[in-house]
Each structure stands twice: as C-alpha cells, then as structure tokens.
Amino acid sequence: MTSDRDEADRIFAEAARWHLRLREAEADAHDAFMRWIAADPRHLPAFDRAQALWQALAPPAALPDPAAIAALLAEARPRRARRAVLPLVLALLAGLGLWQGPDLWDSLRADHIAWTGQRRQVTLADGTRVDLNSGAALAVDFTPAERRVRLLRGEAFFQVAHDAAHPFVVEMPNGALRVTGTSFDIDLTPEGDRVALVEGSVRLLPGHGGAGVTLAPGQQAELRDAGISPPGSFDADSRTAWRQGRMVFYRTPLSQVVAELARYRRGPILLLNDRVAELPVTGAFSTADPDAAIRLIAETLGLSTHHLAGALTVIR
Amino acid sequence: MVPLSLQIGALFRSERGRLLRRVGIVLKSQTDAEDLVQDVFVNLLRRDAPQIQQPRNYLTRAATNAALDHLRRKRVREAVVQTGLDPAHQAPAPQPPVETILQSRHELAILRAAIAGLPPKCRVAFLLSRDHGLSMREIAGQMGVSESTVEKHLLKAMLRCRAALQAAGREF
C-alpha cells in the first residue's frame, strides 16, 4: 500500500539522519537517539538499513586528500573550469614499449621456474616441498654438509623436510636464512626480501654480515640492503592465498595491489593517478585472471582502465 | 599522561550514571542496564590504552552500540519464541565473506550514476564525506554553509541512492 510505503520512507529518512548525526566524532545526540529508538520498534531495523546503505555507498574510506578536496570544492562553485584531458601521456607511454620479459639471466641459472601466470610445486631431493608463485625462479645447490638453495626471483613457499644434521639455507638478494625444518614464505620485492614464518623458527642473516634476527611463527621481516627490518606480524591466510590461486587484500593500498596483480600478467600495469595510489582495496581475486581483477577494482573505485600496445594497462 | 586505568576509575564515577540513564531508555530492565554499562567499562579496560584518544566519546559510542546490540538480540529471541524456530535461522546474517565484499558491477554502476546525477553542491558534500571522511562540521566550514544544510545534502544523497537501488530491486 502506498501509505505504508510512504511511512516506511519517512522512517528510513529519519533513520538516515540519525546515522549521519552519530557518525560525527563528538556526537552529543545519543540520549535523543535512544529515545527515538525506544519510540517505535520499526526504528531500529530502519537504522540498521540506513547503516547498511551507507556501507554499500561507501568505498573503503581513503585518507583526506587536500588536492582532491580543493578540486571538489571548486566544482561546488557556480563557475567551474573544464578539466584538461591527458591522452598525450598515454600515447607517450604506449610508444615507449616499457615491458621487458622475465629476466633471462635468472632463468638460465635457475633449476626451477614458474613462468608468468604459472604456479608450480616442486619436491626437492630431501623431500622439501616448494611452491613457486608466478614468475619465481629457484636454484638448488645441495652439498653433503648443507641444503642450500637460491631464490633468484619472485615468491616461494617452503615446507622444509626436517633434518637437524643438514641445515636448509635459502639465499636471497639481501641475505640468507637458515632453518632445520619449518614452513615459511619468501617474497622478493623491490623494497626487500620479505620472509614470513608460518611454523617452526628461522634465523635471518643479513647479506653483509652483522647480527641476525630469529623469527617466531606469525612474524615477518624484510632483508634489505641496509639490514633487517624489525619483525612484525602478518596475516597467514592472505599471505599464502596464492598457493590456492587466490589473492586476498584487506584494506591494501591500490599501489600494492597493482604490484601484486602485475606478478600474474605479462604486461606492466601503470597507475597514472598518484591520488588513488593509497586507496584501500578489500577483496579476493583469482590469480588466473588478473585482468578481471583489475577491471573490477577499477570499476569499484570509479577509475578507468586503458589497454595500450597489447600488454600495457593504464589505470587512472 | 595519566594511566588509562586511573582515568577509567574517574570516568566510571563521572559517566556511569549518565550512561545508565541513557541505556535505560531502551533496556527497560535496571539489571540489564547495569550489566551492560559494566561490560562497556570492562571492555575499555581491556583495550590498549594508547589506542583510545577520547575515552569519553568512546564510552558514549560503545554504550549506544551495546544497547542496540542488546535490543537486536532481544528481538531475535522474541521472534524465536513466537515462531518456535531455531535461533540459528533467525540470527542476523553474518558478515559477508571477503569474496562478496566487492559489490556487483551492476549495483556500482547504478550508484555511480545516481551520485553523478546529484545537484552539484549535494554531490560535493556527499563525496567530501564519503571519499574523504570529512565531518559535517568540516564540510560546512569548507563549503561556507551551515551544518544543517550539509546534513540535508547528505540525507538527500542517501535517499536518492536508496531510490536508485530500489528501482533496481535492491531493498534498504
């Protein structure tokens, strides 16, 4: 009935107004709000719906951005300037042909390689199982004294067979780690060699000597040129989701998400708009279809994507 | 800086009565209200001290949320008594798994169109709130209008978006 509908709309509008008031940091209207809730049993469900609507409307809240705020405020004024469009930049980038294939030298030195888009599981001679993520390269140098491998590129998850007499050593660009039997993930990133320990214990050794760091389960640290970062915690589910062919992000800055997606596709992804680099992204995506993930994320955040020169993708 | 436990002692003395009266408005039972307010203070004690900037605001919010939760649970129980159904079938839907947090493209397209179609000042106020987390007071200051005007803009934006989603079959 129309009047029921009108009544429901009226209550929803009240509920939405309460939602807006209570969002304020120093809301002092809580007493009045309680009285409103108590006045009618329909009020609480309407308030819940208003909050659900706001959730549906709101992308994960970004940090205030002064430049974007200024631009928005300028739009609210009657006379507004037209924005200039920048197709020229895109054309330039496309012309550069920036993409280089996986490093050929690493591939020649490696014993085990997962090509882009591939995920591989290998079992080493000692029974250690290694999952190689897309683009990873691993070299194996076992000796009678120790089990030594080198992660040359990318990300790998190690389940090291226990053998106290023969330590298992992983060399990385910025150092090494030593274990006897344990499970851990190593991701070689531009910032450093990120080691995340799932179970057991590992000893991190910086490349140029100096004091090592021991990780406890649930801790991760980065080996960098300058030394080892202080250990911090990590989320094991999202960190190792790639082993099931998934990427999981929880409020991860878009720039990091893009770097992660790039691992699974042949062409590079450029984020043209610095303003959106920090936008948090939440969601789970299949590593098998990174392009679909890019489209969905861009659409969710209200950004546009452009595919240029076959492989290059630009988000702005 | 005063340790939080001491602050909480002082807060308990100064705020307890106020919170009791407030949650009493919806809880009806004095015992329930006392339990609930006590829980709110205990939870505050359990939290890491440096994380809470404004304990009084935190208490205000926590008490309101606890009262609403109490009310929701009570409604569920009443519904169960009336229908005789297992509470599991009546409980509010759990948080969606991470896979479903991203909304359907269709819905987002509808929302984007609805937001794009808002009057300029209304749209700007809404985006300042939604995308930049500005408070209504801050938006009012930035746009040179009153807070109640900002509230009207935001409310209008919410109702327009709701209407657009309803037209597409999604109820709020």
Side-chain angles (χ1 to χ4, degrees), chain A residues 81-92:
Chain A
R82 294 273 104 198
R83 274 183 307 164
V85 195
L86 301 171
L88 191 64
V89 181
L90 300 181
L92 279 171

Side-chain angles (χ1 to χ4, degrees), chain A residues 260-301:
Chain A
E260 183 65 22
L261 285 166
R263 191 200 291 277
Y264 300 100
R265 60 195 299 286
R266 286 183 197 287
I269 308 170
L270 287 182
L271 203 53
L272 264 201
N273 189 340
D274 281 345
R275 187 170 73 72
V276 300
E278 293 299 315
L279 285 180
V281 173
T282 295
F285 307 94
S286 164
T287 59
D289 195 353
D291 286 357
I294 292 170
R295 279 196 304 275
L296 189 56
I297 291 170
E299 205 157 306
T300 306
L301 297 174

Side-chain angles (χ1 to χ4, degrees), chain A residues 96-285:
Chain A
L96 288 175
L98 297 160
W99 175 238
Q100 304 162 339
D103 189 292
L104 185 63
W105 172 234
D106 282 346
S107 303
L108 289 174
R109 290 188 296 162
D111 294 297
H112 302 282
I113 295 169
W115 298 108
T116 302
Q118 237 189 358
R119 200 169 68 241
R120 289 194 55 203
Q121 190 172 74
V122 294
T123 304
L124 306 182
D126 64 333
T128 291
R129 284 150 64 104
V130 186
D131 289 12
L132 296 174
N133 201 359
S134 171
L138 183 76
V140 181
D141 301 314
F142 281 12
T143 68
E146 63 177 16
R147 301 172 284 168
R148 183 173 286 267
V149 299
R150 279 174 294 148
L151 185 60
L152 303 167
R153 190 175 71 216
E155 179 171 24
F157 186 86
F158 293 83
Q159 291 165 281
V160 176
H162 189 81
D163 181 354
H166 301 91
F168 192 95
V169 178
V170 184
E171 284 180 24
M172 289 162 268
N174 294 303
L177 67 78
R178 176 180 293 266
V179 299
T180 50
T182 171
S183 299
F184 54 90
D185 189 89
I186 302 178
D187 190 9
L188 305 184
T189 74
E191 293 80 43
D193 311 337
R194 196 169 295 159
V195 180
L197 182 64
V198 174
E199 60 177 57
S201 147
V202 304
R203 182 90 183 141
L204 301 182
L205 306 162
H208 42 62
V213 168
T214 301
L215 292 185
Q219 281 190 322
Q220 71 172 355
E222 264 172 36
L223 290 158
R224 299 176 187 145
D225 192 34
I228 303 177
S229 72
S233 63
F234 70 98
D235 178 47
D237 286 341
S238 52
R239 186 63 200 280
T240 59
W242 64 266
R243 297 175 60 216
Q244 278 82 46
R246 299 195 319 144
M247 295 168 270
V248 179
F249 303 112
Y250 181 71
R251 295 187 159 258
T252 309
L254 180 59
S255 54
Q256 272 183 40
V257 172
V258 163
E260 183 65 22
L261 285 166
R263 191 200 291 277
Y264 300 100
R265 60 195 299 286
R266 286 183 197 287
I269 308 170
L270 287 182
L271 203 53
L272 264 201
N273 189 340
D274 281 345
R275 187 170 73 72
V276 300
E278 293 299 315
L279 285 180
V281 173
T282 295
F285 307 94

